[in-house]
């Protein structure tokens, strides 16, 4: 049966019924009900502004506030009854308010449009969401930092182009990913300030004609500032797009780390072993232990990219102010939030339970990775680096020609390349000596890695207090 327009917030102009397929197509209650608390919070603030403006009496305000508290209690207990015709969370809450207190409920929407109401709800919801995401992110960074501190003595190969490059500390690898996540946390802090702008009081497009005290609304809802322009305020979804991009970038960082760990966990590398809690098996091959947690982290980056790019395509085709296309914002925001929260928590579990195979890591070090160190040896003897680079390359070629490791070239072999080689060249063939030369800030020497750990510890302290 087609629906009556009687209970709709917009029904007065219409005399016909809505096609039931259109009714379902148009409704958003099945997902925007997540904003029930934000919607109630915004309405309670708004009725206080209405009372100050003389548009409701004090008694009516108290009625509305008490009714909203009852609705809050129903949602909290999971007993709120969503009915046919509850198009969205705003309609549902106002319909229930009218059931509870009668005609006074009809005054709540005075001067308010769903255009400014929904974007206020979204900003309130996302503000709380960012706080939760930040907590998960900081927990992961702290877990990585503590692991780096406890395993600082482990050396293993660093890779570029997926080829062995130079010896590094395992802790240095961990901190390379923690550094990216610290940037993500700082971006989230910056974003939260842009989210925390009050749009309520903008009406549908032209503003509010009833002398509503928007600064009162700002204070009641704990926003930092008031939107500048009503047309912009009701259609602005920059904060949603920014969150979607942030989630995409953050999980890209985690995807990169997951890819490394997938490789390191193979039997070919055997650098790490995932906990059974974050692995699965094969339905056919009993010996398999699959890194499904890491693979899913990697895949979630693609899911988030899709949410972000899809929403930007929606925005790019819109004219000014509010259009119903913007209803697509909430599912993208909710799904991205859920995804990034899950990824952060699972990653924390993986990192905290990962087992490191120090023997395999150190066995994977090879003396050809010290070719750069051989060039540095010559630089310290006074040879220009470009010439030293060439000389080291000749030594590598000579070792390959002889079919021996680089460190097995004799002093006589090396002197055929440069007379600057002396007996102390033997000190080059030591992996600890190699990493310990990188003492400049940001390097892989123990002193530098400890400084990075201390920096992150200090960086975390005010954010977790």
């Amino acid at each position: 049966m087609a629906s009556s327009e009687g209970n709709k917030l917009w029904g007065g102009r219409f005399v016909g019924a809505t096609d039931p397929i259109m009714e379902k197509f148009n409704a958003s209650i099945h997902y925007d009900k997540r904003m029930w608390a934000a919607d109630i919070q915004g309405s309670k603030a708004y009725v206080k502004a209405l009372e100050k403006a003389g548009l409701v009496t004090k008694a009516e305000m108290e009625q509305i506030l008490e009714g909203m508290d009852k609705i809050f209690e129903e949602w909290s207990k999971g007993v709120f009854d969503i009915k046919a015709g509850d198009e969205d969370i705003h309609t549902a809450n106002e319909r229930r308010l009218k059931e509870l207190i009668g005609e006074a409920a009809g005054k709540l929407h005075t001067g308010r449009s769903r255009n400014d109401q929904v974007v206020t709800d979204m900003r309130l919801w996302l503000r709380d969401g960012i706080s939760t995401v930040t907590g998960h992110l900081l927990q992961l960074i702290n877990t990585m930092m503590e692991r780096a501190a406890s395993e600082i003595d482990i050396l293993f190969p660093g890779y570029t182009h997926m080829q062995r490059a130079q010896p590094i500390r395992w802790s240095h690898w961990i901190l390379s990913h923690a550094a990216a996540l610290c940037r993500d946390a700082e971006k989230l802090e910056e974003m939260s300030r842009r989210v925390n702008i009050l749009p309520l009081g903008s009406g549908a497009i032209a503003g509010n004609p009833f002398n509503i005290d928007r600064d009162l609304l700002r204070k009641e809802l704990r926003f930092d500032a008031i939107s500048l322009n009503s047309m912009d305020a009701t259609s602005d979804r920059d904060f949603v797009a920014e969150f979607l991009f942030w989630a995409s970038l953050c999980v890209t960082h985690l995807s990169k780390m997951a890819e490394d760990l997938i490789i390191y966990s193979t039997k070919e590398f055997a650098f790490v072993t995932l906990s059974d809690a974050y692995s699965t098996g094969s339905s056919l091959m009993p010996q398999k232990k699959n890194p499904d947690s890491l693979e899913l982290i990697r895949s979630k980056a693609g899911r988030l990219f899709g949410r972000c790019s899809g929403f930007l395509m929606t925005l790019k085709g819109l004219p000014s102010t509010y259009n119903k296309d913007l209803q697509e914002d909430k599912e993208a925001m909710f799904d991205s939030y859920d995804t990034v929260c899950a990824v952060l928590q699972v990653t924390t579990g993986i990192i905290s339970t990962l087992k490191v195979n120090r023997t395999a890591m150190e066995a994977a070090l090879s003396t050809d990775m010290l070719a750069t160190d051989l060039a540095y040896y010559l630089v310290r003897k006074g040879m220009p680096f470009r010439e030293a680079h060439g000389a080291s390359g000749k030594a590598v070629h000579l070792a390959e020609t002889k079919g021996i490791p680089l460190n097995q070239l004799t002093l006589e072999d090396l002197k055929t390349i440069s007379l600057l080689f002396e007996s102390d060249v033997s000190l080059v063939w030591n992996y600890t000596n190699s990493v310990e030369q990188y003492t400049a800030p940001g390097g892989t020497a123990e002193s530098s890695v400890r400084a990075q750990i201390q920096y992150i510890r200090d960086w975390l302290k005010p954010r977790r207090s």
Side-chain angles (χ1 to χ4, degrees), residues 12-127:
R13 177 254 185 266
F14 292 81
V15 294
T18 307
D19 184 288
I21 295 175
M22 175 58 190
E23 185 91 16
K24 185 176 180 181
F25 187 63
N26 187 55
S28 58
I29 184 65
H30 58 287
Y31 54 84
D32 69 17
K33 64 184 179 182
R34 291 183 66 162
M35 300 191 299
W36 64 265
D39 193 67
I40 291 169
Q41 186 181 1
S43 290
K44 289 178 71 173
Y46 192 69
V47 75
K48 292 177 184 178
L50 290 175
E51 192 272 336
K52 184 178 180 182
L55 295 165
V56 298
T57 66
K58 186 175 178 62
E60 288 171 330
M61 178 186 73
E62 294 297 339
Q63 266 189 297
I64 290 171
L65 290 174
E66 288 175 13
M68 281 296 172
D69 286 341
K70 289 178 182 176
I71 295 170
F72 186 97
E73 185 178 352
E74 290 178 0
W75 278 110
S76 298
K77 292 179 176 178
V79 296
F80 185 95
D81 185 20
I82 296 173
K83 296 185 177 180
D86 285 346
E87 180 181 329
D88 51 39
I89 186 59
H90 327 298
T91 308
N93 281 343
E94 188 168 327
R95 183 264 308 159
R96 180 58 178 147
L97 183 65
K98 185 175 181 181
E99 291 174 353
L100 290 170
I101 70 169
E103 292 304 316
K107 293 189 174 184
L108 177 59
H109 211 60
T110 305
R112 183 172 68 165
S113 165
R114 282 188 300 178
N115 296 0
D116 63 342
Q117 184 177 3
V118 67
V119 72
T120 301
D121 289 1
M122 291 180 69
R123 286 179 180 272
L124 288 168
W125 188 92
L126 186 56
R127 184 177 69 188

Side-chain angles (χ1 to χ4, degrees), residues 12-279:
R13 177 254 185 266
F14 292 81
V15 294
T18 307
D19 184 288
I21 295 175
M22 175 58 190
E23 185 91 16
K24 185 176 180 181
F25 187 63
N26 187 55
S28 58
I29 184 65
H30 58 287
Y31 54 84
D32 69 17
K33 64 184 179 182
R34 291 183 66 162
M35 300 191 299
W36 64 265
D39 193 67
I40 291 169
Q41 186 181 1
S43 290
K44 289 178 71 173
Y46 192 69
V47 75
K48 292 177 184 178
L50 290 175
E51 192 272 336
K52 184 178 180 182
L55 295 165
V56 298
T57 66
K58 186 175 178 62
E60 288 171 330
M61 178 186 73
E62 294 297 339
Q63 266 189 297
I64 290 171
L65 290 174
E66 288 175 13
M68 281 296 172
D69 286 341
K70 289 178 182 176
I71 295 170
F72 186 97
E73 185 178 352
E74 290 178 0
W75 278 110
S76 298
K77 292 179 176 178
V79 296
F80 185 95
D81 185 20
I82 296 173
K83 296 185 177 180
D86 285 346
E87 180 181 329
D88 51 39
I89 186 59
H90 327 298
T91 308
N93 281 343
E94 188 168 327
R95 183 264 308 159
R96 180 58 178 147
L97 183 65
K98 185 175 181 181
E99 291 174 353
L100 290 170
I101 70 169
E103 292 304 316
K107 293 189 174 184
L108 177 59
H109 211 60
T110 305
R112 183 172 68 165
S113 165
R114 282 188 300 178
N115 296 0
D116 63 342
Q117 184 177 3
V118 67
V119 72
T120 301
D121 289 1
M122 291 180 69
R123 286 179 180 272
L124 288 168
W125 188 92
L126 186 56
R127 184 177 69 188
D128 290 344
I130 286 173
S131 178
T132 301
V133 171
T134 299
H136 294 321
L137 181 55
L138 295 179
Q139 179 61 44
L140 173 56
I141 294 169
N142 185 71
T143 300
M144 295 171 73
M145 180 267 295
E146 294 294 355
R147 179 135 210 174
S150 66
E151 295 174 336
I152 198 167
D153 294 331
I154 301 174
L155 307 184
F156 84 129
Y159 295 82
T160 63
H161 306 275
M162 279 304 297
Q163 306 295 314
R164 291 179 184 176
Q166 292 178 299
I168 60 170
R169 293 184 183 278
W170 162 243
S171 295
H172 198 52
W173 177 88
I174 295 173
L175 294 171
S176 73
H177 295 287
L181 296 176
C182 287
R183 291 197 302 275
D184 291 330
E186 289 170 351
K187 290 185 183 80
L188 207 52
E189 290 171 7
E190 294 162 6
M191 187 198 317
S192 66
R193 292 193 289 272
R194 289 186 287 276
V195 170
N196 208 30
I197 306 295
L198 173 77
L200 191 58
S202 297
I205 179 172
N208 188 295
F210 294 114
N211 198 30
I212 289 293
D213 187 343
R214 295 191 71 201
D215 198 52
L216 170 66
L217 292 172
R218 180 189 67 78
K219 291 173 183 175
E220 284 287 329
L221 296 172
R222 296 182 293 106
F223 281 103
D224 293 333
I226 294 169
S227 58
L228 178 65
N229 178 283
S230 61
M231 292 177 69
D232 175 64
T234 55
S235 62
D236 173 23
R237 295 299 186 275
D238 290 5
F239 68 100
V240 177
E242 190 173 2
F243 178 71
L244 300 185
F245 172 74
W246 177 88
S248 299
L249 184 60
C250 178
V251 179
T252 296
H253 293 148
L254 295 173
S255 176
K256 179 164 66 172
M257 182 170 70
E259 173 67 6
D260 281 359
L261 289 173
I262 289 168
I263 294 167
Y264 295 164
S265 68
T266 62
K267 290 188 183 298
E268 287 76 10
F269 280 73
F271 290 172
V272 299
T273 302
L274 263 66
S275 165
D276 287 352
Y278 297 96
S279 307

Side-chain angles (χ1 to χ4, degrees), residues 334-381:
F334 295 149
D335 183 58
S336 296
Y337 168 82
D338 291 341
T339 300
V340 78
C341 281
V343 168
L344 289 168
Q345 292 175 87
V346 169
T347 306
T348 300
I350 292 167
I351 294 298
S352 64
T353 59
L354 197 70
K355 182 185 291 184
V356 173
N357 186 343
R358 180 172 185 165
T359 301
M361 284 183 164
E362 294 180 349
L365 295 167
S366 56
T367 54
D368 59 308
M369 299 174 69
L370 300 173
T372 305
D373 301 69
L374 194 63
Y376 290 160
Y377 170 89
L378 293 172
V379 167
R380 292 185 177 103
K381 296 288 185 177

